[in-house]
Amino acid sequence: NVRLPFRCIHVLACVRQLANAWSLLNQYHLVGDGVTPDNGHRQLWIRARIRLAGVPIQLARFVLKIVLLDDTRYERGDVEVACNFVRAVLLIPLSAWSLNHQYYTSGSDPPPRSVQRGCACLELDHVDYNPSGQGGLHRAKSNVGLGDVELTETRPAAPADDAD
């Protein structure tokens, strides 16, 4: 059957999606796992590699649809073939880069103490919701060598009021 290679590729794609889901569940189950002062959660790094595994899958789909299915009753449209190519060379690498960038720029290192005091961005009237339930300073690092560029203060999540 001419479609057998596609079935094998679909099995690989399924395994990749399951690994992606498993990594996401681990990130929420193991809060703070592998977080260092400079790097974010370990599962971000792992999921970036899982995402990159989609590039050869989409390239194989692209090539096989042209080579195997041309002039058969299973021939695919040009748009579908082009979508596999765009996923392989643009969308999947971009999403993997995004996860990798998040891993390398979301560490737990607090900003210098001189920056913690008197910063206008810390004197906000509203309470930011922090689903982890922990308060503290969280920073966003710049990748252009400017150091800490934004500070956000989050307060612990307010306990639910029990109305008896």
Side-chain angles (χ1 to χ4, degrees), residues 20-160:
N20 195 53
W22 185 259
S23 173
L24 192 58
L25 289 173
N26 275 338
Q27 182 174 350
Y28 288 106
H29 179 68
L30 305 171
V31 176
D33 181 43
V35 176
T36 67
D38 295 323
N39 298 326
H41 201 284
R42 179 180 299 128
Q43 293 301 323
L44 294 170
W45 187 86
I46 292 170
R47 211 163 40 256
R49 274 73 189 155
I50 292 170
R51 295 293 301 165
L52 277 176
V55 171
I57 291 172
Q58 292 297 328
L59 281 176
R61 285 179 175 167
F62 167 72
V63 171
L64 289 175
K65 285 178 182 177
I66 294 173
V67 173
L68 294 181
L69 300 182
D70 196 30
D71 294 329
T72 67
R73 69 182 186 150
Y74 304 113
E75 184 174 5
R76 309 313 296 171
D78 292 339
V79 174
E80 182 178 336
V81 175
C83 284
N84 289 124
F85 183 74
V86 169
R87 284 183 191 136
V89 299
L90 181 66
L91 298 179
I92 293 174
L94 189 61
S95 68
W97 172 84
S98 177
L99 286 167
N100 206 47
H101 184 273
Q102 186 178 356
Y103 170 73
Y104 284 112
T105 58
S106 63
S108 64
D109 192 19
R113 201 169 268 297
S114 61
V115 178
Q116 290 179 12
R117 295 195 175 111
C119 181
C121 61
L122 297 178
E123 299 169 11
L124 302 173
D125 294 328
H126 66 282
V127 176
D128 292 329
Y129 173 68
N130 185 351
S132 71
Q134 301 171 351
L137 291 171
H138 301 278
R139 71 174 180 162
K141 295 190 299 187
S142 169
N143 61 348
V144 292
L146 298 176
D148 300 326
V149 294
E150 179 183 341
L151 294 175
T152 305
E153 181 180 17
T154 57
R155 295 184 181 89

